Amino acid sequence: MLRKIIFSAVAAAATCTQVNAQDSTEAQPKLAISGYVDVYYRFNLSNPKKATDQFNNFTSFTNSQNSFELNMASVKLEHSFGKVGVVADLGFGKRAEEFSYADDKTRLAIKQAYVSYSPLANVKLSAGSWATHVGYELVDPTLNRNYSMSYMFSYGPFAHTGIKADVALGKSGFMIGVTNPTDLKSANFARKFLIAQYSLSMIDDKLKAYVNYQGGKPGDGQRMNQFDITVTGAISNKFSMGYNGTVQSLQAKENGGKFGDGSKWWGSALYFNLDPTENFGLTWRTEYFSNEKAVVAAPEANIFSNTLSANFKVGPLTIIPEIRLENANTAIYTKGDKIGAEKSTASALVAAVYAF
């Protein structure tokens, strides 16, 4: 009988020790480190000779001609402890510099840096700087299937700095925040922007939709609003589609002190993704971009762009050969040393992205 009592006490103590060990393990801080390196080579078939025309490339991150380019080395640190966490996402290279164009020019950039707190299971509060919620594409090539970027990504917001709240309600989600003007990590005395998103997941998460907004006063006597919608759908385990449409308007105050009708640019794109095997995929992006009133720094034109990209995966390495064809309603492309000589152009590139 005594041995039974002793055995029971020992077993109880062991169980208590295991529970305490589990609690201790669960309470430990968690650190995750990830990143990537991407390189590419691009050649435009019109063989432009002048960098002033961006070598017939008017979108982000691939402004080169007949050159091997180290685009970015990126390291992301994520640390969490219970309900709180922090993210520090650093980029080194030309891609990072272009992404942080509003900061002092440097090849070292803070892509994201924010702290978060979840007072409830379905509520997350964040403060700092983070990549934009607007649009289909993201700054990291590991998160896109096309290597070159769309016009809508290139002339929309890149990042926001401020505070925001994310709320998950079953299949729906809401986000609302107050930030500095678009892409500015520092903005003394500037009026603040409002950002928002509504998301909905349907058909067993095979169809997802996002309605996005940003708006505010980027400068004295100016007002900007942008509405954006993104939809993704999985037709099967080998074929999926995506859509992105956006419109941004800019208004200025007239002599009477009221805002005028203003000008706008807009774009619309479809993405078709085919994955015959786990290690090979194809993506065709077709995009129409309208900037006829020169609202942004893109050419004053309507541009129809088609991009076909292949993804060959070898472990953590993805090799992306790509062909891009563009047509405009006016001559905006350079041929040789003649700027504005053509209405169409074609480019080919091959990129390699190693993720860890």
Side-chain angles (χ1 to χ4, degrees), residues 148-167:
S148 66
M149 308 304 293
S150 69
Y151 279 91
M152 284 183 288
F153 171 89
S154 300
Y155 297 98
F158 284 176
H160 307 280
T161 300
I163 58 173
K164 66 173 180 173
D166 290 275
V167 180

Side-chain angles (χ1 to χ4, degrees), residues 101-103 128-129 158-162 179-188 190-193 217-218:
Y101 70 94
D103 299 332
S129 183
F158 284 176
H160 307 280
T161 300
T179 70
N180 291 337
T182 300
D183 298 337
L184 294 181
K185 291 186 176 69
S186 178
N188 294 322
R191 294 179 182 272
K192 303 309 174 191
F193 269 38
K217 296 181 178 180

Side-chain angles (χ1 to χ4, degrees), residues 186-245:
S186 178
N188 294 322
F189 308 113
R191 294 179 182 272
K192 303 309 174 191
F193 269 38
L194 175 69
I195 63 171
Q197 180 184 74
Y198 171 72
S199 60
L200 178 63
S201 180
M202 300 164 280
I203 315 177
D204 297 327
D205 295 334
K206 292 181 180 179
L207 181 64
K208 297 180 180 180
Y210 306 83
V211 180
N212 308 304
Y213 170 78
Q214 69 154 346
K217 296 181 178 180
D220 291 337
Q222 292 182 318
R223 183 168 63 189
M224 187 270 281
N225 288 284
Q226 182 172 1
F227 295 91
D228 178 276
I229 183 170
T230 300
V231 181
T232 62
I235 310 303
S236 70
N237 60 354
K238 295 184 182 295
F239 182 69
S240 63
M241 295 176 61
Y243 171 76
N244 183 211

Side-chain angles (χ1 to χ4, degrees), residues 16 19 66 75 95 136 168 194 293 295 309 338:
C16 183
V19 171
N66 193 23
V75 178
R95 191 183 189 105
Y136 183 92
L194 175 69
K293 295 186 178 180
V295 180
S309 307
K338 297 180 180 179

Side-chain angles (χ1 to χ4, degrees), residues 79-283:
H79 192 275
S80 62
F81 184 80
K83 297 181 178 181
V84 297
V86 64
V87 171
D89 191 358
L90 308 177
F92 307 79
K94 189 175 181 180
R95 191 183 189 105
E97 182 180 45
E98 290 186 28
F99 179 76
S100 300
Y101 70 94
D103 299 332
D104 292 336
K105 290 299 181 183
T106 175
R107 291 290 169 102
L108 166 61
I110 299 175
K111 293 157 53 192
Q112 300 184 98
Y114 60 90
V115 296
S116 62
Y117 170 58
S118 298
L120 301 172
N122 65 330
V123 177
K124 181 179 179 181
L125 307 175
S126 301
S129 183
W130 56 86
T132 187
H133 58 293
V134 176
Y136 183 92
E137 300 177 15
L138 298 166
V139 60
D140 297 318
T142 52
L143 303 176
N144 301 321
R145 293 173 61 107
N146 298 113
Y147 186 78
S148 66
M149 308 304 293
S150 69
Y151 279 91
M152 284 183 288
F153 171 89
S154 300
Y155 297 98
F158 284 176
H160 307 280
T161 300
I163 58 173
K164 66 173 180 173
D166 290 275
V167 180
L169 297 173
K171 295 293 185 178
S172 298
F174 301 88
M175 182 277 288
I176 189 166
V178 178
T179 70
N180 291 337
T182 300
D183 298 337
L184 294 181
K185 291 186 176 69
S186 178
N188 294 322
F189 308 113
R191 294 179 182 272
K192 303 309 174 191
F193 269 38
L194 175 69
I195 63 171
Q197 180 184 74
Y198 171 72
S199 60
L200 178 63
S201 180
M202 300 164 280
I203 315 177
D204 297 327
D205 295 334
K206 292 181 180 179
L207 181 64
K208 297 180 180 180
Y210 306 83
V211 180
N212 308 304
Y213 170 78
Q214 69 154 346
K217 296 181 178 180
D220 291 337
Q222 292 182 318
R223 183 168 63 189
M224 187 270 281
N225 288 284
Q226 182 172 1
F227 295 91
D228 178 276
I229 183 170
T230 300
V231 181
T232 62
I235 310 303
S236 70
N237 60 354
K238 295 184 182 295
F239 182 69
S240 63
M241 295 176 61
Y243 171 76
N244 183 211
T246 198
V247 57
Q248 184 184 109
S249 63
L250 183 65
Q251 297 172 286
K253 283 187 177 180
E254 298 177 340
N255 294 333
K258 295 183 178 180
F259 285 101
D261 294 336
S263 302
K264 66 181 179 181
W265 68 266
W266 63 274
S268 186
L270 283 168
Y271 300 78
F272 301 90
N273 307 308
L274 178 65
D275 295 290
T277 71
E278 292 183 358
N279 298 320
F280 173 68
L282 290 169
T283 291

Side-chain angles (χ1 to χ4, degrees), residues 286-297:
T286 179
E287 179 187 22
Y288 188 85
F289 173 76
S290 178
N291 186 44
E292 281 192 307
K293 295 186 178 180
V295 180
V296 289

